[in-house]
Amino acid sequence: MTDVGSPIKIGTKICKNRITMAPTVKFDTDDSGLVTDEFVAHYEARAAHGCGLIVVEATCVDKAARLFPTQLGLWNDEQIEGHKKIADAVHKHDALVIPQIHHGGLGTHPDCGPMTSPTAVKWGNGEAVEMTKDDIKKAVKNFIDAAVRAQKAGYDGVQLHACHAYLINDFASNVNKREDEYGGSLENKARLGCEIIEGIRKACGEDFIISARISGADPTIEESLNIAEYYVKSGCDYLQVSCGIGEFNMMPHDESLPYNKIAALGVLMHEHFKGRVPVSTVNGFRDVEKVRYMFEHDLIDTIDLACGLLADPAFSEAILNDADYVKCFNCPACGFGPGHPHVCPAMKLRGDKEFASWCK
């Protein structure tokens, strides 16, 4: 049995408890990709209520590879100061904070730039452009440069967005039909992620968390475990597990368990890496009892919370100290991107100033 309130070592850092905030895109900036005051208040509120680690939402490393035109960025030095405000605000509450650094790949918005892919492929309503080796080297450099900016801003590390059909996941998946050193074998499919990890480690040193949010089954569990092995051998400190491209029916799942099949991927990854690197799981954890169950049964090292924390930052306090909180309604109001403000009925019940600022 693990105490959810117990500290855990992630890389060289100590996280004060096992609760982390998942990267959830909830705000618009503008074409500049700069941090606004809403970002700072949003992340500080979750830290103030007890989260041990905050993962700042998808933060793009290349202006031409954004998932929508008003995405947060770390593609230039002018963006550092805003991120410093987030880091400083979160650190006031003794929490760790890392941004999720991101390249759209197949998820690139057409108003930002072309969809890019390891292999030319029809995708959605368009066609992705196959990346040249020069394109790949540029993408690797962009990730490394963004990590260096994150370190200058005072962040404790970075998380690579390596799932959900974005660039790193694209290379690790069956979309990749390349026949050079970036395609074919699993080692080659993992090469892009490994080069980014190795480059960040060289540029930022050992005292800097490198996390990867990876797929637990893309296209299979076994292949994802092996991809994760390559990332860990390259210097990844922390695996935060989600899903990848398309649907997966990779294993029977006992629906009587208090966690779903996506969360089960994290449980499997945790069992595989037990004692080597910490592993986090995500998806569907909106109840105090479900979160506690995972630690009471030693199923995971940390849990990434999303909707529950968006509904009420006090959700983490409820898990840790039985505080009162307003429960997530599990409704479809959690939108993201321009024109889709986070209109949360739970926040409305709390009469939160943050809610009011989002619903102008």
Side-chain angles (χ1 to χ4, degrees):
M1 178 175 176
T2 302
D3 179 1
V4 66
S6 64
I8 182 170
K9 188 176 184 182
I10 302 175
T12 64
K13 310 282 188 182
I14 301 298
C15 185
K16 66 181 179 180
N17 61 46
R18 307 302 179 105
I19 296 173
T20 70
M21 181 179 181
T24 53
V25 178
K26 290 299 165 197
F27 290 104
D28 297 338
T29 172
D30 56 28
D31 188 62
S32 71
L34 293 170
V35 169
T36 65
D37 290 344
E38 285 85 358
F39 285 95
V40 180
H42 176 66
Y43 291 111
E44 182 173 8
R46 274 74 198 170
H49 283 276
C51 265
L53 182 146
I54 303 287
V55 185
V56 174
E57 62 196 74
T59 303
C60 203
V61 303
D62 181 347
K63 189 173 183 179
R66 291 169 290 169
L67 62 91
F68 56 89
T70 54
Q71 184 183 356
L72 193 63
L74 263 174
W75 63 75
N76 66 44
D77 289 351
E78 287 71 31
Q79 294 159 332
I80 294 172
E81 185 58 33
H83 284 279
K84 185 177 186 302
K85 292 178 181 178
I86 295 176
D88 289 347
V90 170
H91 284 153
K92 284 193 298 185
H93 304 282
D94 195 30
L96 300 176
V97 57
I98 62 178
Q100 181 187 67
I101 53 176
H102 164 270
H103 181 297
L106 288 172
T108 300
H109 194 287
D111 290 343
C112 300
M115 286 191 296
T116 53
S117 173
T119 312
V121 61
K122 290 185 178 179
W123 194 260
N125 295 322
E127 186 164 341
V129 177
E130 181 170 321
M131 296 178 76
T132 66
K133 288 186 183 179
D134 284 344
D135 293 333
I136 294 169
K137 296 300 181 186
K138 180 184 176 184
V140 171
K141 183 178 186 300
N142 286 340
F143 271 100
I144 297 167
D145 289 347
V148 169
R149 293 186 186 105
Q151 188 174 49
K152 289 179 179 177
Y155 284 123
D156 298 292
V158 291
Q159 180 191 86
L160 306 185
H161 201 330
C163 57
H164 301 169
Y166 297 123
L167 188 70
I168 300 172
N169 184 197
D170 298 336
F171 272 80
S173 75
N174 278 348
V175 171
N176 186 349
K177 307 296 184 186
R178 297 179 74 96
E179 296 181 354
D180 60 10
E181 66 267 36
Y182 290 97
S185 68
L186 282 181
E187 181 178 9
N188 285 353
K189 288 183 173 183
R191 191 176 303 278
L192 174 68
C194 291
E195 288 183 353
I196 293 168
I197 292 166
E198 290 163 3
I200 292 173
R201 181 63 70 214
K202 182 178 180 180
C204 297
E206 294 299 319
D207 193 30
F208 192 72
I209 295 169
I210 302 177
S211 166
R213 189 170 187 81
I214 63 170
S215 169
D218 192 3
T220 68
I221 289 172
E222 182 179 5
E223 287 170 301
S224 288
L225 289 172
N226 286 323
I227 292 285
E229 284 281 3
Y230 286 117
Y231 293 167
V232 169
K233 289 173 184 175
S234 292
C236 181
D237 299 305
Y238 184 32
L239 297 168
Q240 296 175 272
V241 184
S242 187
C243 54
I245 294 175
E247 294 296 321
F248 60 92
N249 294 297
M250 67 304 173
M251 64 178 184
H253 180 66
D254 183 352
E255 298 296 336
S256 70
L257 291 170
Y259 56 91
N260 64 28
K261 67 179 183 178
I262 295 177
L265 297 174
V267 173
L268 285 169
M269 195 77 71
H270 168 260
E271 185 63 30
H272 180 83
F273 283 98
K274 213 167 193 177
R276 289 196 282 158
V277 295
V279 176
S280 199
T281 194
V282 71
N283 202 278
F285 293 104
R286 300 179 178 90
D287 303 291
V288 168
E289 295 75 18
K290 287 184 178 181
V291 174
R292 288 178 177 169
Y293 177 94
M294 303 300 285
F295 295 100
E296 289 167 357
H297 293 80
D298 288 319
L299 296 174
I300 204 68
D301 294 304
T302 63
I303 281 186
D304 295 338
L305 301 179
C307 293
L309 279 180
L310 295 174
D312 191 344
F315 183 38
S316 52
E317 286 182 307
I319 296 164
L320 294 166
N321 302 313
D322 294 313
D324 292 333
Y325 75 108
V326 179
K327 186 176 178 181
C328 169
F329 287 80
N330 193 21
C331 71
C334 281
F336 69 87
H340 297 282
H342 177 63
V343 183
C344 174
M347 293 191 80
K348 189 174 182 179
L349 280 177
R350 291 194 297 118
D352 196 284
K353 291 181 181 178
E354 189 175 22
F355 171 86
S357 73
W358 291 352
C359 302
K360 295 174 183 177

